[in-house]
Amino acid sequence: MRAIHHWIDGKLTPGTSGRTADVYNPATGEVQAKVDLATRAEIDAAIASAAEAQVKWGATNPQRRARVMMKMVDLLNRDMDRMAEMLSSEHGKTFPDAKGDIQRGLEVIEFAIGAPHQLKGEFIDGAGPGIDMYSMRQPLGVVAAITPFNFPAMIPLWKLGPALASGNAVILKPSERDPTVPNMIAELFKEAGLPDGVLQVIHGDKEAVDALLDSDVIQAVGFVGSTPIAQYIYERAAQTGKRAQCFGGAKNHMIIMPDADLDQAADALVGAGYGAAGERCMAVSVAVPVGEETADRLIEKLVPRIEKLKVGPWTAGNDVDYGPVVTKAAKENILRLVETGVAQGAELVVDGRDFSLQGYEDGFFVGPHLFDRVTPDMDIYRTEIFGPVLSTVRAASYEEALKLAMDHEYGNGIAMFTRDGDTARDFASRVNVGMIGINVPIPVPLAYFTFGGWKKSGFGDLNQHGPDAFRFYTRTKTVTSRWPSGIKEGAAFNFKAMD
Ligand code: NAD
C-alpha cells in the first residue's frame, strides 16, 4: 500500500507516531494509500527547523524570492497533467476540473512574482524639521496554513505564494483526505530553488492542528475549511496572540430576476450547482427565482438539464460532468439531508437517491437532486450540504430575495441574473456577502483581487490573495528619523505636532 509521508527539511520523512489515516479512491471506494498523522513532538521539531531556515530566507532580497515563484510557475505548468491525475484520483473531481484547481493556484504564484512591489513601504521626507518617516513590511517568521480537501492544490498555493514570497517559512497542514498533491507542490518548490526547511508539509488531524495553534513560534494561521472548525481555529489562535484568517463554509444564493435570460441562468445554475459534485465553497446551492412565473419557467428549464448530467469517474473521459464525493461519510451526510428535506415538506423535483453507477457500486457517487418550494426554516436551506443538491426558494419580489440572502448566516458568494443595470447595481451595493456575480454564477476573483467571505464564511482580518495577502503575511514597522543639522530645540515634554 502506498504510504504518504511528511515533507520535512526538503525530503519525504516517514512519521513516527504509528498513526495513519486512509486515503480513498472515491470512484471505487477502495483505500489507495495511508497517510502519516503527526504527533505534537513531530510538529514542534518541524517548526523549530522552519524557524532556523526562515532567518536566511527572510533576509534574502525580494527579487530572489520572486525568482523562485517565477520558476515555480514553469514547473507547475510542466507537471500539470501528472499532478491533476493524482488530484483526481484522491479527490474524485474530473480531470479538467483538477487542472482548473492547479491553474487557479498557479495564478496566485504568478501574482506573487510581484512581491517586491507589494512589499515596498512608504516614505515621506520633511515630516518635521530634519525629520523623515518611512515604513517597511517585514515577514512574520513562521506561519501555518491549514487547508481543506476540496481544493488540494489551489488553496495551498494561495497560501504559499504570498507567504513565502514575503519571506516567511510555512508549515502546511493539508487535508488528510487528499494529501499527495501538497507533497508534490513541496517537491516542485524545492526544484524551483526554495531552501530546505522553509516549507514543511506535515500531515495530520486535530492533534497536529492543535500543536500548531498552541506553538509560540507560529505567528499567523491561514485556515480554510468548514465553519465550526474555522471558528475554533480563530478563537484558539487568538489565545496565543496569533494573527488569524479563517475562511469557512457557504450557502451561495443565485437570484434570478424575471427579466433574466433563463436559458443562460439555467446553464449557469447547473454548472455552479453540480460541478465538482457541489463540493466547492463557491458552489451555488440555492436558486431564488423572483416571481412564480420565473420560478415555473426556471424549473422547466432546469429539470432536463439536470437529468442529462453525466456522473462518473475521472477516468471515463472529459465529458463527465462530475465525479464522486470525497468519502462515504460525505455521501451518507448528503443523502441524510435529502431525506430531511423531503420530510420537512420540500418538493424533490429531481430525485437522485437511487443513483448507482454500474461497475462502481462501491464508489462515493451521489446522483443530482433538485428541490423546489424550499423555505428558510428547513434544514436543507440553513445547512451547507456540500453535495449535488440544489434548493429553490421562491421569492415574491427583489426585496424579498435580497432579504433572504442577507438573513442567511453565510456570506461567501452570491449571484444575480438580470438584464437590468439599476437592480444589479443596487444589489451589489447592498448585499452583505463578500463576492458578487452579476450574470456570473461563481464569482471567484482573480489573483490580483482578494478572495474572502463575510459573516460565518470568514473570521479574522484581510482576505486571501491579492494585496491583502501580502499585508496578512507581513507586519509593518515605521521609522521616524531626525538628522537635525543646525536645529536646536531643547528638551520637549509635551506631545506636540511636528510643525
Ligand atoms: P474541514 O473543516 O473538515 O477540514 C479543514 C482542515 O481542518 C483540514 O486540514 C482538517 O484536517 C482540519 N480539521 C478538521 N477537523 C478538525 C478539528 N476538529 N480540529 C482541528 N482541525 C481540524 O473542511 P473540509 O471538509 O476539508 O472542507 C470543506 C469545507 O471547506 C466546506 O465547508 C467548504 O465550504 C469550506 N471551504 C471554504 C472555502 C472558503 O474560501 N471560504 C474554500 C474551500 C472550502
Side-chain angles (χ1 to χ4, degrees):
M1 170 100 28
R2 187 163 62 93
I4 303 167
H5 299 311
H6 310 299
W7 176 267
I8 300 178
D9 296 344
K11 53 184 183 303
L12 288 169
T13 308
T16 57
S17 71
R19 285 199 311 131
T20 58
D22 292 340
V23 177
Y24 289 90
N25 174 350
T28 60
E30 287 160 357
V31 176
Q32 62 161 309
K34 299 258 182 200
V35 60
D36 295 338
L37 300 177
T39 59
R40 191 170 275 264
E42 286 174 297
I43 292 277
D44 287 344
I47 294 172
S49 162
E52 214 179 300
Q54 189 274 332
V55 176
K56 201 161 162 210
W57 177 244
T60 301
N61 70 46
Q63 57 275 28
R64 280 182 192 273
R65 296 196 303 248
R67 275 180 215 134
V68 172
M69 301 298 143
M70 230 182 274
K71 179 84 177 139
M72 188 63 183
V73 169
D74 287 345
L75 298 179
L76 286 167
N77 275 315
R78 184 195 72 190
D79 285 5
M80 175 89 69
D81 284 5
R82 182 174 76 89
M83 288 173 76
E85 281 176 16
M86 178 53 77
L87 200 158
S88 290
S89 92
E90 288 187 357
H91 176 285
K93 64 175 76 173
T94 66
F95 185 65
D97 207 28
K99 284 173 77 163
D101 189 328
I102 300 164
Q103 175 63 29
R104 289 310 287 263
L106 180 156
E107 287 165 13
V108 172
I109 304 295
E110 274 173 347
F111 179 69
I113 294 170
H117 177 65
Q118 297 291 335
L119 296 173
K120 283 188 300 190
E122 294 169 318
F123 179 85
I124 188 159
D125 70 332
I131 293 177
D132 300 327
M133 211 176 273
Y134 62 96
S135 65
M136 46 179 126
R137 294 198 162 276
Q138 297 191 323
L140 300 175
V142 186
V143 302
I146 301 161
T147 55
F149 82 85
N150 69 327
F151 283 100
M154 179 183 86
I155 293 180
L157 289 167
W158 282 8
K159 308 282 183 208
L160 295 174
L164 294 171
S166 300
N168 299 287
V170 182
I171 311 286
L172 170 63
K173 206 306 284 173
S175 171
E176 60 277 38
R177 294 184 213 152
D178 42 14
T180 301
V181 168
N183 277 3
M184 293 168 111
I185 289 172
E187 275 176 45
L188 291 189
F189 263 118
K190 182 181 168 99
E191 191 180 343
L194 190 73
D196 292 348
V198 174
L199 167 60
Q200 318 271 46
V201 184
I202 309 289
H203 301 287
D205 52 10
K206 183 169 165 51
E207 179 174 346
V209 171
D210 286 348
L212 290 170
L213 296 175
D214 296 343
S215 159
D216 290 332
V217 179
I218 300 284
Q219 298 296 305
V221 180
F223 171 87
V224 180
S226 59
T227 287
I229 310 297
Q231 187 159 2
Y232 164 74
I233 287 185
Y234 182 62
E235 288 167 5
R236 189 147 172 174
Q239 283 167 19
T240 43
K242 292 179 180 48
R243 192 176 283 192
Q245 53 173 213
C246 302
F247 297 97
K251 195 79 180 175
N252 305 315
H253 294 49
M254 184 167 129
I255 299 175
I256 302 101
M257 297 298 291
D259 66 351
D261 177 331
L262 286 189
D263 285 304
Q264 205 184 66
D267 284 340
L269 268 172
V270 172
Y274 301 93
E279 288 178 324
R280 291 183 181 134
C281 69
M282 290 293 274
V284 172
S285 48
V286 184
V288 189
V290 172
E292 285 296 321
E293 196 196 326
T294 314
D296 291 342
R297 285 171 50 219
L298 183 70
I299 295 283
E300 222 171 81
K301 288 183 185 293
L302 280 173
V303 171
R305 283 171 167 82
I306 296 168
E307 285 174 345
K308 271 211 313 260
L309 286 174
K310 191 167 171 203
V311 183
W314 71 276
T315 44
N318 290 351
D319 62 336
V320 170
D321 294 310
Y322 73 83
V325 297
V326 69
T327 54
K328 190 166 183 224
K331 175 176 173 166
E332 286 168 358
N333 186 46
I334 294 162
L335 293 176
R336 182 185 58 76
L337 278 158
V338 168
E339 292 303 339
T340 310
V342 173
Q344 292 180 350
E347 207 177 291
L348 190 54
V349 184
V350 178
D351 185 350
R353 284 176 293 182
D354 291 335
F355 182 86
S356 170
L357 197 63
Q358 208 182 354
Y360 293 90
E361 288 79 4
D362 294 330
F364 312 138
F365 293 95
V366 180
H369 295 78
L370 173 66
F371 277 110
D372 193 7
R373 300 187 189 281
V374 174
T375 54
D377 54 313
M378 292 180 184
D379 288 355
I380 52 167
Y381 177 71
R382 288 187 282 109
T383 314
E384 181 185 42
I385 301 175
F386 225 53
V389 183
L390 181 63
S391 295
T392 310
V393 182
R394 295 172 174 232
S397 64
Y398 161 58
E399 287 297 334
E400 191 182 310
L402 182 64
K403 183 171 183 320
L404 183 78
M406 290 183 68
D407 287 348
H408 205 287
E409 65 170 356
Y410 291 118
N412 212 35
I414 190 165
M416 169 177 275
F417 273 60
T418 182
R419 288 190 175 94
D420 183 74
D422 270 355
T423 314
R425 191 167 180 281
D426 180 79
F427 163 70
S429 151
R430 284 167 65 197
V431 73
N432 56 359
V433 170
M435 292 168 282
I436 320 291
I438 307 291
N439 298 315
V440 171
I442 303 188
V444 176
L446 287 173
Y448 39 91
F449 284 88
T450 73
F451 182 108
W454 289 16
K455 299 185 277 183
K456 289 258 167 90
S457 296
F459 301 84
D461 296 318
L462 299 170
N463 281 346
Q464 305 190 87
H465 61 67
D468 269 16
F470 286 95
R471 294 188 189 115
F472 182 76
Y473 288 115
T474 55
R475 60 185 132 221
T476 310
K477 189 183 270 178
T478 309
V479 180
T480 306
S481 69
R482 185 166 185 244
W483 299 99
S485 48
I487 300 167
K488 301 239 175 325
E489 283 189 332
F493 298 97
N494 54 348
F495 200 58
K496 60 176 189 164
M498 274 187 197
D499 54 16

